[in-house]
Amino acid sequence: MPKYDAEFFKSLDSSILDVLDGETLPPECYTDPDFYEFEKESLFSKEWLCVGRESWVGEAGDYFTTQIADEPIVVARARDGNLYAMSSVCQHRAMLVAEGHGNTRGFVCPYHHWTYSLKGDLVGAPAMNKTCNFDKKEHSLPKFKVEVWLGFIFVHFDINAEPLAPRLEQVTNAIAGYDLENAEGPRPGDAPHLQWNWKVMFENNNDGYHASRLHQGPLHDFVPSEQASFPKAPKGAAGYLRFNGTTHADASFNPTQKAVLPVFAGLNEEQRNRMTFANIPPTLSLVLTADMVIYMILRPTGAGSLEMDTGVLVAPGAMEDAAFEPKMEMIMNSTHHIIAQDWHVDELVQIGLRSRFAKRGRYSWQESAQQQFNEWLVDRYKSHFFEQAPRIFESEVNSEMVD
C-alpha cells in the first residue's frame, strides 16, 4: 500500500468537523516530503495560483518571473496588450529563459540562444536546420491560463481551467470598498527564504486566536481576539474571510493606532471599525486595514520551506503625499515588529511538528478560519487521491503479479 492510503485520507474528515468538535491535520501533512509531492499534484497543479500584481507589467514588453512549487514561471505583457503566462523553461535543454523582471522584446535562452516571443512562441533556433522533423511550433514555451482578480494576476497550469472570479464572489463583495484594482503600491523586494511549511504560514496569517496573546501590547491590542468573526464560505468557494472588530474606527498598525494614510474611500462605517483578513489558497493572503492592505504571495519550495512576496497597497493618490515615506516607515516599523513575532513562532511550530510528540490538536472558536482552510484542503486531497486510487491499485496488482 502507498504511504498515504484511503484510511489516511478518510481520517482527515475529523479536521473538517465544526471547529468545536474538530482537530488539526496530522503533523506529517506539514513535514513529510512525500506529502508535499502529493500536494504539488493535488493542489498546485490544479488550482489558480497568484503570481503578482498587474501593475508590475503595465507596459508592452514588461515581464517578471517567479517560481511556485518547483515550477518556474514568466509573465509578460505582449505588444497586443494582453497578459501571457508560461513556463520559463527552454524547450531545448531546460535552461531558464528569463530571470528577475524588466522590459524586453522577447526571451533569449542564454545557453544556446533559442528565442521566444512575449507570447512564448519559439521564433528562433540557431543551427537546427539539419535536425530531422524539427518544427518550431512544437517547441514553444508551455502556456498557462491567466486571470486578473482585483489587480492580482493568477495563473493555472490547465489552459482549460474554469474561471476563478465566480468562486470568489463572497470575498470580492466583502472587500469591494478597497477598490484593489486601482490601489497603488511599490513592487515587493526580494522574497525571504522561510523555514516552515506553507500551511503554517497560511494558518498564521488568518489566525484570530493568537492576536491578543502573541501580539499583546500597544501595537496590536486594538484588534482583540474576542472580536473575531468568521463568515461561512459558500460551498465550492475559492476563498474565505475573517473579520476582526477594532476598539476604535480606522485602526492601523502604528504607534498612534489610527490611520495616518488616506482611508480607502469606499469603506463604510462598519468596515472602518474592523480589519478584514482574506485568504485565497494556496497562494494569496490579504490583511486589510483602513489605510493599507498587506498582501502575501506564498510560494512553497519544499515540505518545510517557502518564499513569500510581501507587498502593500494604499489608496490612489496616497503615495503623492510628500510625507508618504516617513508615514509608511512608521507603519512598517510596527508591522515588522509584529511579523518578527509571527515568524519566530512559525519557525518553532515547524520544529514542534517534526517531534514524535506532536499530535492532532483541538481548536478554539477563535480558530474557525483554520477549519475553513481544512475544508478547502481536505476536499482537494481526497478528490485527487480517490481519483488516482484505481490506477494506484492496478499498479500494485501488476507489480505483485510480476514478483
Side-chain angles (χ1 to χ4, degrees), residues 25-329:
L25 295 170
E28 54 265 42
C29 294
Y30 301 84
T31 61
D32 185 16
D34 288 342
F35 195 81
Y36 171 66
E37 291 300 317
F38 171 79
E39 286 188 321
K40 285 165 62 175
E41 295 305 315
S42 61
L43 302 179
F44 293 94
S45 293
K46 293 187 171 184
E47 295 297 326
W48 286 97
L49 310 175
C50 183
V51 292
R53 290 284 294 173
E54 188 175 18
S55 60
W56 301 358
V57 279
E59 303 295 329
D62 286 351
Y63 74 92
F64 70 87
T65 62
T66 189
Q67 186 166 316
I68 298 177
D70 301 325
E71 289 297 342
I73 298 166
V74 58
V75 179
R77 176 83 65 183
R79 303 298 167 189
D80 62 9
N82 294 321
L83 282 178
Y84 294 86
M86 62 216 90
S87 170
S88 62
V89 177
C90 182
Q91 299 299 284
H92 171 225
R93 294 270 295 281
M95 174 68 185
L96 299 189
V97 303
E99 297 179 89
H101 59 88
N103 187 279
T104 185
R105 295 177 62 187
F107 302 109
V108 181
C109 175
Y111 200 2
H112 300 99
H113 286 202
W114 281 33
T115 305
Y116 299 88
S117 73
L118 292 167
K119 299 180 182 181
D121 298 326
L122 180 63
V123 295
M128 295 295 291
N129 55 306
K130 295 183 180 181
T131 300
C132 298
N133 302 315
F134 179 76
D135 184 349
K136 285 188 292 188
K137 293 180 181 177
E138 297 177 358
H139 298 274
S140 296
L141 298 176
K143 296 178 176 63
F144 309 143
K145 193 165 186 177
V146 180
E147 184 171 335
V148 178
W149 175 78
L150 304 187
F152 290 99
I153 301 171
F154 285 79
V155 304
H156 201 299
F157 296 144
D158 181 357
I159 203 71
N160 297 310
E162 293 295 319
L164 173 67
R167 294 183 295 124
L168 285 176
E169 185 177 0
Q170 181 193 41
V171 175
T172 302
N173 292 339
I175 63 177
Y178 289 90
D179 188 21
L180 293 184
E181 297 99 324
N182 297 306
E184 302 170 348
R187 181 193 295 269
D190 293 339
H193 302 275
L194 307 174
Q195 298 304 306
W196 48 87
N197 183 268
W198 70 276
K199 295 186 296 299
V200 170
M201 188 83 255
F202 232 97
E203 291 169 350
N204 182 84
N205 289 347
N206 212 20
D207 176 29
Y209 192 28
H210 80 280
S212 292
R213 285 104 186 159
L214 177 64
H215 302 313
Q216 184 177 18
L219 295 179
H220 208 290
D221 283 348
F222 48 88
V223 196
S225 293
E226 60 268 19
Q227 291 194 34
S229 61
F230 306 89
K232 181 65 176 175
K235 186 174 178 58
Y240 56 96
L241 296 157
R242 167 167 66 97
F243 298 143
N244 213 115
T246 55
T247 58
H248 55 264
D250 300 335
S252 184
F253 294 122
N254 67 73
T256 74
Q257 302 184 0
K258 294 277 288 184
V260 294
L261 300 174
V263 170
F264 287 92
L267 301 183
N268 59 34
E269 184 178 355
E270 180 183 10
Q271 293 164 334
R272 292 175 66 170
N273 279 276
R274 74 182 185 210
M275 292 186 180
T276 298
F277 300 78
N279 277 343
I280 297 87
T283 50
L284 181 62
S285 187
L286 303 173
V287 179
L288 303 103
T289 70
D291 63 342
M292 188 175 75
V293 174
I294 302 172
Y295 64 88
M296 291 156 278
I297 301 173
L298 285 67
R299 300 186 283 107
T301 57
S305 61
L306 76 152
E307 296 178 338
M308 187 167 71
D309 303 306
T310 304
V312 298
L313 298 171
V314 295
M319 297 177 69
E320 298 171 10
D321 181 357
F324 175 77
E325 289 298 333
K327 289 178 180 178
M328 181 59 73
E329 183 178 3

